[in-house]
């Protein structure tokens, strides 16, 4: 991987620092500014965080291993798979379908109003990517899934509101014409914030040790052992404001338990037990990478007890480039290499699960005051570009 840096710990602040408005402008520039990695860690989170994280990321494996007929019921083609479950609907840089990643999107309008499951379609009647309602698995299929999902997303958005408030203090001082409290209001009142539960499927040995690319034969002249291999998630930038990220959970699915139905016809399935979590990735090169502002590629380690926040395109527009969107990708496991001893391919079925929450403006919110561009117009362009 050309220009690679060692695994790097980004700038870290405590939740109390955010509550006390004590995060300095220098710290924010180091985290999000023109020469930064574009990522901030938040530590000392509420005690419930670790439990909700472990439970929801375990659910990702249970969800991804449901039968095809059940997964089809959780898919929404008319929303271009930006609601509910999908697999193989995105393409990698090789133009092959991305079948190594499963995705489950949820609209987080419930953060503002528990009765809402989508953004209103009144002014955007032909934009189901944001206005189609959520699709949840039944309690008899995955008991507790929805409650855990909403609990964890609420905690992440609560924290994003505080990060946004810190960004507002900076922007009022450094961005001409910036509206006081703009980003905090956008994050707090958004009906378009999206959460994406991600399951990176275990790689078969042939997919991870040369000869194939994402399950497809390597093309002539292509190095399937390329170290700059975004095989688990192609290089991209997020198009929202702030993206909240949990650390990844690596788990061996070789003995994935099956939920046991209750004997009662009226009660739901017993909630599946959280899966054992490996202390680290079996492969030291697997994980999240950032293309830094200095054109190097840096591996990012997020501690289990922290949340990370990345900058997106909308925030770059809102701050007139003071904070910039960060290109990033996910590199997959390599069976039998990098000290993995075959785990993830030959000696186990290691999957990677994580959650991203994309805080975004409402569809009618202006994100570029010079042109009058709304987030809805901006998002339509992004969707056209990516689907």
């Amino acid at each position: 991987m050309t220009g690679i840096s060692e695994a790097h710990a980004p700038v870290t602040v405590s939740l109390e620092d955010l509550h006390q408005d004590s995060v300095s402008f220098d710290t924010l520039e180091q985290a999000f500014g023109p020469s930064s990695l574009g990522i901030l860690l938040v530590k000392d989170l509420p005690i419930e965080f670790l439990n909700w994280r472990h439970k929801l990321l375990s659910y990702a494996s249970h969800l991804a291993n449901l039968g095809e007929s059940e997964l089809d019921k959780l898919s929404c083609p008319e929303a271009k798979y930006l609601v509910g479950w999908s697999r193989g609907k995105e393409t990698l840089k090789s133009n092959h379908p991305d079948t190594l990643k499963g995705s489950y999107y949820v609209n987080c309008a419930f953060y503002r109003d528990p009765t809402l499951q989508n953004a209103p379609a009144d002014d955007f009647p032909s934009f189901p990517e944001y206005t189609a309602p959520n699709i949840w698995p039944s309690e008899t299929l995955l008991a507790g899934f929805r409650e855990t999902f909403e609990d964890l997303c609420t905690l992440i958005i609560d924290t994003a509101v505080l990060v946004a408030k810190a960004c507002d203090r900076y922007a009022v001082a450094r961005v001409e014409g910036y509206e006081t409290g703009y980003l905090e209001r956008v994050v707090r009142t958004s009906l378009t914030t999206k959460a994406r539960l991600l399951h990176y499927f275990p790689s078969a040995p042939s997919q991870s040790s040369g000869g194939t690319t994402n399950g497809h034969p390597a093309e002539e002249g292509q190095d399937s052992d390329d170290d700059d291999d975004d095989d688990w998630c192609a290089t991209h930038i997020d198009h929202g404001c702030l993206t909240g990220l949990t650390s990844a959970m690596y788990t061996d699915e070789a003995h994935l338990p099956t939920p046991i139905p209750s004997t009662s016809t009226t009660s739901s399935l017993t909630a599946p037990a959280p899966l054992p979590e490996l202390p680290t990735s079996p492969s030291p090169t697997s994980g999240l990478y950032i293309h830094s502002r200095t054109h190097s590629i840096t591996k990012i380690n997020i501690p289990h007890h922290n949340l990370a926040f990345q900058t997106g395109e909308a925030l770059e527009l809102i701050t007139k480039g003071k904070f910039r969107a960060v290109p990033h990708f996910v590199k997959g496991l390599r069976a039998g290499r990098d000290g993995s001893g075959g785990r993830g391919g030959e000696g186990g079925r290691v999957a990677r699960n994580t959650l991203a929450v994309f805080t975004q403006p409402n569809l009618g919110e202006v994100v570029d005051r010079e042109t009058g561009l709304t987030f809805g117009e901006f998002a339509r362009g992004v969707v056209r570009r990516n689907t």
Side-chain angles (χ1 to χ4, degrees):
M1 189 179 294
T2 305
I4 188 171
S5 300
E6 293 296 322
H8 186 82
V11 175
T12 303
V13 300
S14 71
L15 188 64
E16 184 63 19
D17 292 335
L18 293 170
H19 275 297
Q20 296 298 324
D21 293 332
S22 61
V23 178
S24 70
F25 288 178
D26 284 346
T27 298
L28 290 170
E29 286 184 346
Q30 290 169 24
F32 297 145
S35 60
S36 71
L37 289 173
I39 190 166
L40 176 75
L41 298 186
V42 180
K43 63 179 182 178
D44 302 333
L45 296 166
I47 193 169
E48 300 89 353
F49 169 71
L50 283 175
N51 179 48
W52 288 340
R53 170 195 169 274
H54 191 191
K55 285 174 64 178
L56 186 61
L57 299 190
S58 295
Y59 274 120
S61 285
H62 291 291
L63 175 71
N65 283 278
L66 293 174
E68 286 300 317
S69 62
E70 295 292 350
L71 291 171
D72 285 345
K73 296 174 188 176
L74 299 174
S75 297
C76 189
E78 59 271 25
K80 297 182 179 176
Y81 301 97
L82 293 178
V83 173
W85 170 261
S86 66
R87 181 182 183 185
K89 306 303 179 183
E90 297 176 282
T91 56
L92 296 172
K93 61 186 177 184
S94 62
N95 291 321
H96 291 303
D98 178 6
T99 59
L100 288 187
K101 179 170 81 263
S103 172
Y104 188 85
Y105 274 107
V106 167
N107 183 287
C108 296
F110 58 77
Y111 179 79
R112 182 172 170 185
D113 182 343
T115 68
L116 294 177
Q117 291 295 311
N118 53 281
D122 300 350
D123 297 323
F124 294 85
S126 59
F127 204 8
E129 295 90 335
Y130 283 92
T131 61
N134 290 328
I135 305 172
W136 295 103
S138 68
E139 284 294 297
T140 56
L141 193 63
L142 282 180
F145 175 77
R146 176 174 174 175
E147 179 182 10
T148 303
F149 207 124
E150 292 183 345
D151 284 343
L152 183 55
C153 286
T154 296
L155 187 154
I156 292 172
I157 299 170
D158 281 343
T159 310
V161 167
L162 296 174
V163 176
K165 185 179 179 183
C167 292
D168 279 335
R169 288 192 299 107
Y170 176 92
V172 165
R174 302 291 174 86
V175 179
E176 184 178 356
Y178 188 85
E179 176 188 332
T180 301
Y182 175 84
L183 187 60
E184 179 186 0
R185 174 179 61 78
V186 161
V187 174
R188 188 187 297 278
T189 64
S190 176
L191 297 174
T192 64
T193 288
K194 288 268 192 181
R196 189 182 193 187
L197 184 63
L198 290 157
H199 176 77
Y200 298 88
F201 287 88
S203 299
S206 62
Q207 292 174 312
S208 303
S209 58
T212 65
T213 301
N214 199 36
H216 301 274
E219 297 177 7
E220 184 177 355
Q222 177 183 351
D223 181 5
S224 62
D225 195 28
D226 182 4
D227 282 336
D228 188 10
D229 188 0
D230 49 2
D231 53 358
W232 258 358
C233 184
T235 302
H236 66 286
I237 55 177
D238 299 335
H239 69 269
C241 295
L242 292 165
T243 300
L245 295 169
T246 66
S247 62
M249 171 183 174
Y250 291 90
T251 186
D252 190 338
E253 294 185 345
H255 304 289
L256 188 70
T258 301
I260 305 298
S262 168
T263 55
S264 168
T265 58
T266 58
S267 62
S268 65
L269 288 172
T270 302
L275 300 176
E277 180 172 3
L278 301 176
T280 60
S281 167
S283 168
T285 62
S286 174
L288 174 66
Y289 287 80
I290 283 177
H291 289 268
S292 76
R293 322 297 198 207
T294 58
H295 308 293
S296 65
I297 298 172
T298 302
K299 187 175 185 296
I300 300 297
N301 288 334
I302 304 172
H304 290 182
H305 54 281
N306 286 187
L307 279 171
F309 289 89
Q310 287 183 320
T311 43
E313 282 186 279
L315 184 58
E316 183 171 327
L317 282 172
I318 291 164
T319 62
K320 300 180 180 179
K322 293 293 185 181
F323 295 152
R324 297 189 182 177
V326 53
H328 53 283
F329 66 92
V330 177
K331 185 174 174 62
L333 294 172
R334 290 293 180 268
R337 294 165 49 204
D338 302 323
S340 64
R343 292 169 68 186
E346 300 166 338
R349 297 184 60 245
V350 177
R352 180 184 189 268
N353 299 328
T354 190
L355 175 70
V357 178
F358 308 99
T359 65
Q360 301 173 143
N362 285 320
L363 296 175
E365 190 79 51
V366 174
V367 294
D368 188 335
R369 296 191 178 280
E370 293 183 2
T371 65
L373 181 73
T374 66
F375 181 71
E377 295 164 338
F378 172 69
R380 280 188 194 275
V382 172
V383 171
R384 280 195 299 267
R385 197 166 69 225
N386 294 338
T387 59

